[in-house]
Amino acid sequence: MDHPLQVTGPSELIAVIPHVFGFVPEESVVLAPRHGSGPWARLDQPYGAHDISEGAAVLAAPFLRDGVGAALVCFTTDREAAEGISVELARRFTGRTHLGPSLWVDAGMWTDLVTGVSGRIDGATRMWADAELALAGRRMPVASRDELRRDLEGDSEEAAAVAAHLPDARVEHQIRQGRGNQQEARWVDRTVGRFLADQVPVTPVVAARLLVDMEVLPLRDVAWMAMNSENAALHMSLWRDLTRRAPHEARTPAATLLAFSSWLAGQGAHAWVALDLVPEPRTYSLARIVESLLEGAIPPSAWDTVAEQNRTTPASSVLGRAQATRADQPGPSRPYDPGTGRGRPSSPSR
């Protein structure tokens, strides 16, 4: 996720990072692009030589692939672990692209691990970043990734209200299916478009109908193909609301659409948390696509190509080609996400 602020020093970089990831990192390693736009990556802080080597490979891959210089920020109480990842990344970057500064952040202080220069994290700079990014329409970061997860748990009474209408919605869906999907596809398009226009949450009856429709791939794809970089945040709001209100057995399509719209909006942490709600993401095609986009650090701009071609070419094929041309080092499962990385290389965090 890019941000509109000009970062000129360690305090400003540290202040911006929670806004990029959506939460305040702890025991984390972050790589940020040194200049302009580029990939962002985060991992849980690795410990021990093997995990540090593997973590460095995962973090470095998108930067080395794209030839983008990086700044390293380690949020950890363990200086030795921070120095270990700094040395390993420097080894991988040498002769290919630039790494620096390499910062260790702990107890309100930052230290440049190469020069030894240190300073206090400036509270006024944090306030400046918060204010400027709020004015730019960005949501304020939450305290932790766990808080992002809790946000999607929803309200049991709202979920029960939708669940009460699911049996009738399924019966009515079967009746409509006898006439084909065309009429229902138009209804999905109108319903999604209405939310994008007025942002009024749908009623439980409409929510149940949408959730049942999303179980049919051609109808789900009507909602999917309506997404673009300009309306991605609004789609996030719609599918977040439906994910929170969906009974578990009907949640997978909504959670996956939330994951995709989150990636498209540059909110990688939200995308990973939404995918965590999909019981078997490897068996659901759109969930696999979102995982590939996140793991391959594919920029949301790749969707522009899909939007131009989706009338004649299956979107999954286009995105598959985009990934294949950019991600030549796949790395382990769920290694990081652009803008909100996640997980240890050997044991992804959840």
Side-chain angles (χ1 to χ4, degrees):
M1 173 180 131
D2 294 330
H3 59 85
L5 303 185
Q6 184 68 34
V7 173
T8 59
S11 283
E12 292 177 1
L13 175 59
I14 293 164
V16 162
I17 284 173
H19 293 272
V20 172
F21 291 98
F23 63 94
V24 179
E26 294 181 351
E27 293 302 314
S28 298
V29 182
V30 172
L31 275 187
R34 279 177 50 84
H35 302 293
S37 61
W40 289 75
R42 189 205 70 88
L43 283 177
D44 292 346
Q45 174 67 56
Y47 306 95
H50 178 268
D51 283 351
I52 285 174
S53 177
E54 190 175 351
V58 169
L59 286 167
F63 294 86
L64 299 181
R65 180 194 65 208
D66 296 346
V68 176
L72 168 66
V73 185
C74 298
F75 297 86
T76 179
T77 58
D78 190 331
R79 177 167 182 160
E80 183 177 349
E83 290 173 338
I85 195 78
S86 175
V87 169
E88 185 63 27
L89 283 168
R91 183 182 69 80
R92 293 176 181 275
F93 273 68
T94 298
R96 301 183 67 178
T97 188
H98 185 75
L99 177 69
S102 296
L103 304 175
W104 169 48
V105 177
D106 181 39
M109 298 288 294
W110 60 264
T111 300
D112 189 312
L113 293 170
V114 176
T115 67
V117 174
S118 62
R120 182 163 295 280
I121 299 172
D122 187 355
T125 303
R126 289 189 188 276
M127 293 175 63
W128 161 79
D130 290 349
E132 291 294 323
L133 289 166
L135 287 172
R138 304 294 176 84
R139 293 179 64 180
M140 290 298 100
V142 298
S144 67
R145 186 192 299 279
D146 285 340
E147 190 169 332
L148 288 181
R149 294 192 188 97
R150 288 193 295 271
D151 178 61
L152 292 184
E153 289 175 0
D155 181 271
S156 58
E157 292 185 4
E158 290 184 346
V162 173
H165 294 283
L166 278 177
D168 287 345
R170 294 193 187 282
V171 171
E172 293 167 3
H173 179 79
Q174 288 299 320
I175 295 172
R176 288 190 296 269
Q177 281 288 91
R179 301 191 293 267
N181 286 324
Q182 201 167 39
Q183 183 176 343
E184 193 65 3
R186 287 194 291 269
W187 180 84
V188 169
D189 187 54
R190 289 196 306 271
T191 303
V192 171
R194 190 178 304 119
F195 179 89
L196 299 185
D198 60 28
Q199 299 173 53
V200 175
V202 298
T203 66
V205 172
V206 173
R209 183 173 173 178
L210 267 176
L211 290 171
V212 171
D213 281 350
M214 293 304 100
E215 294 173 353
V216 179
L217 297 189
L219 297 179
R220 183 207 65 190
D221 289 354
V222 170
W224 181 25
M225 291 299 161
M227 297 182 189
N228 58 54
S229 57
E230 293 182 357
N231 65 22
L234 293 174
H235 278 278
M236 275 186 69
S237 296
L238 171 61
W239 299 110
R240 171 184 172 274
D241 178 58
L242 287 171
T243 298
R244 286 166 52 86
R245 296 163 67 190
H248 287 194
E249 70 274 11
R251 193 166 58 181
T252 287
T256 308
L257 288 166
L258 172 59
F260 185 86
S261 58
S262 298
W263 165 77
L264 190 57
Q267 298 285 347
H270 292 77
W272 278 123
V273 170
L275 282 181
D276 281 343
L277 299 178
V278 179
E280 296 293 338
R282 295 292 181 182
T283 65
Y284 191 66
S285 60
L286 183 53
R288 291 199 309 271
I289 289 171
V290 179
E291 281 192 328
S292 295
L293 293 169
L294 293 168
E295 291 179 355
I298 306 301
S301 59
W303 186 241
D304 296 340
T305 301
V306 175
E308 294 173 1
Q309 300 183 35
N310 73 67
R311 292 187 179 181
T312 57
T313 306
S316 57
S317 298
V318 177
L319 285 171
R321 290 200 302 273
Q323 183 200 6
T325 58
R326 293 179 56 84
D328 53 11
Q329 294 186 353
S333 175
R334 295 192 180 190
Y336 64 86
D337 54 76
T340 51
R342 77 178 258 136
R344 294 183 179 87
S346 57
S347 178
S349 65
R350 292 188 176 274

